[in-house]
Amino acid sequence: MDFNMKKLASDAGIFFTRAVQFTEEKFGQAEKTELDAHFESLLARADSTKNWTEKILRQTEVLLQPNPSARVEEFLYEKLDRKVPSRVTNGELLAQYMAEAASELGPTTPYGKTLIKVAEAEKRLGAAERDFIHTASINFLTPLRNFLEGDWKTISKERRLLQNRRLDLDASKARLKKAKAAEAKATLWNDEVDKAEQELRVAQTEFDRQAEVTRLLLEGISSTHVNHLRCLHEFVESQTTYYAQCYRHMLDLQKQLGSSQGAIFPGTFVGTAEPASPPLSSTSPTTAAATMPMGPSVADLAPPGEAALCLEEVAPPASGTRKARVLYDYEAADSSELALLADELITVYSLPGMDPDWLIGERGNKKGKVPVTYLELLS
């Protein structure tokens, strides 16, 4: 019991000494040992890394889960070390509503059939989103959290110890200075100065040792950056895969809806008056499966079994021709297609039974099939 009481009294004395030293430094009444410029630079870089990691982590969480209530719920489950309950994505929920609507409104009606097709596409989009969220959480969010909750807490603890060692060192310097001043006035014995010098040597040793430990931890921030860089690449790859899947699913849906639209509304001009988005591609060789197609190919767009067009026999309809501006260069795959140059104007029209993703294009005395996605149809 006596030992514990003495230890508490000693700890209280140390805390009081540090508080006095810190207060006097703030008011400019005591000298402060300054860290070297390299050390200060390491501290500043560590603080910046921590602050930006927190911001990137929080915003990525918002990106993956926009619902604030759901994020709070997931946070609480993680803190309680319990499994986060499975939650349907917005796309899957929309797919469910559309399927139920089709069932009630008539699955064999044109509207019901279209609802079913869109519902299937939304379900696939929802599944792709779920995979993306799972992959991004493991490969990107988890390493960022591990840094903030692990390495950063260790660095913060050692920095606090370094601050205490510095306060002890400066307090020892102040005591020695006072002891020497008192000795000069012959009011203290020499052993008081010796004691103060011994305390200073111990404080200096402990400060130097703690400074070295803290410096090594701060220099480890470079390894943290390398690890976060690798995680960032994995996040980009998972996001590329996700958007590539979405693109393919929506392209398939667009083909299905284009075919059914021609059957429901015969004679309707197939195409869009809005500029198509430029074809996307992935530059990473490791994500070949997730690569966006550079544009519709003949194999993708021509329906199976479609007979080759006899261009000499093709004549434009009496009505239904339109002007179109070419968005991107297109190299004809065979003699049935028309090569295109970006920004040129051509005349286009559709023929009965054609794949809705293709049109007949004419430029001067040349004509051939052209992909709709490479055109901006003009009024």
Side-chain angles (χ1 to χ4, degrees):
M1 181 66 70
D2 291 341
F3 174 77
N4 292 335
M5 292 298 294
K6 289 180 180 179
K7 186 176 185 305
L8 289 174
S10 175
D11 291 343
I14 293 174
F15 177 80
F16 178 76
T17 301
R18 290 170 179 169
V20 170
Q21 177 66 26
F22 181 80
T23 302
E24 290 180 349
E25 288 175 358
K26 288 298 181 182
F27 286 99
Q29 299 173 351
E31 296 181 1
K32 175 182 176 181
T33 299
E34 298 292 343
L35 301 170
D36 60 68
H38 175 64
F39 206 109
E40 292 290 353
S41 176
L42 291 176
L43 289 172
R45 188 175 67 149
D47 288 333
S48 295
T49 300
K50 180 258 186 181
N51 293 335
W52 285 113
T53 300
E54 282 184 333
K55 290 182 179 180
I56 292 172
L57 172 66
R58 301 295 172 244
Q59 192 56 37
T60 305
E61 290 176 335
V62 173
L63 173 69
L64 300 180
Q65 178 50 267
N67 188 329
S69 299
R71 289 202 305 276
V72 171
E73 182 183 5
E74 292 174 0
F75 174 79
L76 294 176
Y77 271 96
E78 289 176 1
K79 289 301 179 183
L80 296 174
D81 198 20
R82 295 176 59 185
K83 184 179 179 180
V84 179
S86 179
R87 186 181 289 108
V88 298
T89 62
N90 292 326
E92 291 170 327
L93 187 59
L94 177 59
Q96 177 184 335
Y97 290 163
M98 287 184 170
E100 292 174 356
S103 177
E104 184 171 334
L105 300 176
T108 59
T109 64
Y111 182 41
K113 290 180 179 179
T114 304
L115 277 172
I116 292 174
K117 291 180 180 179
V118 177
E120 292 174 350
E122 293 296 336
K123 186 176 181 180
R124 289 193 291 269
L125 291 176
E129 181 184 1
R130 182 189 300 278
D131 291 341
F132 166 58
I133 292 173
H134 178 71
T135 303
S137 296
I138 293 177
N139 295 339
F140 191 57
L141 291 184
T142 298
L144 297 187
R145 288 197 191 99
N146 289 343
F147 165 72
L148 293 173
E149 297 175 3
D151 293 350
W152 181 253
K153 286 187 176 180
T154 301
I155 291 174
S156 299
K157 176 184 175 182
E158 298 301 329
R159 286 176 67 175
R160 287 193 298 269
L161 286 175
L162 178 62
Q163 171 74 345
N164 290 336
R165 295 289 181 264
R166 188 197 61 74
L167 291 171
D168 293 343
L169 174 62
D170 288 335
S172 297
K173 290 179 178 179
R175 283 195 296 270
L176 178 60
K177 186 176 182 180
K178 292 178 181 178
K180 288 185 175 181
E183 182 188 40
K185 296 179 181 179
T187 59
L188 280 180
W189 299 100
N190 288 336
D191 58 348
E192 290 295 332
V193 175
D194 294 339
K195 181 180 178 182
E197 289 178 341
Q198 176 63 23
E199 289 179 351
L200 177 59
R201 285 193 293 270
V202 172
Q204 184 70 57
T205 300
E206 292 182 349
F207 171 77
D208 292 341
R209 183 186 300 114
Q210 186 59 41
E212 180 64 15
V213 171
T214 307
R215 182 184 64 79
L216 291 175
L217 287 172
L218 293 173
E219 289 177 345
I221 290 292
S222 296
S223 299
T224 298
H225 287 184
V226 172
N227 182 46
H228 288 183
L229 173 61
R230 177 183 58 80
C231 296
L232 184 60
H233 276 283
E234 293 179 354
F235 173 68
V236 171
E237 288 191 7
S238 64
Q239 200 168 27
T240 302
T241 301
Y242 167 57
Y243 286 121
Q245 290 173 338
C246 292
Y247 178 83
R248 288 196 297 270
H249 293 328
M250 294 312 297
L251 190 61
D252 290 342
L253 177 62
Q254 188 181 44
K255 291 180 181 179
Q256 295 178 42
L257 296 185
S259 301
S260 60
Q261 182 182 5
I264 299 170
F265 307 108
T268 302
F269 189 89
V270 179
T272 174
E274 296 297 326
S277 299
L280 302 176
S281 64
S282 170
T283 58
S284 172
T286 63
T287 55
T291 302
M292 294 281 195
M294 287 302 294
S297 66
V298 176
D300 292 333
L301 298 174
E306 180 183 11
L309 287 174
C310 182
L311 297 180
E312 291 76 9
E313 300 176 1
V314 171
S319 61
T321 61
R322 292 177 68 173
K323 290 292 185 181
R325 183 175 68 85
V326 178
L327 298 175
Y328 329 107
D329 292 347
Y330 178 75
E331 184 177 351
D334 53 47
S335 59
S336 69
E337 297 181 6
L338 180 65
L340 303 175
L341 294 176
D343 294 326
E344 69 174 335
L345 293 178
I346 61 174
T347 301
V348 294
Y349 51 87
S350 178
L351 296 177
M354 276 192 69
D355 187 320
D357 291 321
W358 292 80
L359 296 171
I360 298 297
E362 290 188 0
R363 181 181 59 243
N365 59 355
K366 295 182 180 181
K367 67 175 65 175
K369 294 190 300 181
V370 293
V372 173
T373 52
Y374 281 71
L375 306 175
E376 177 188 356
L377 301 177
L378 307 176
S379 302

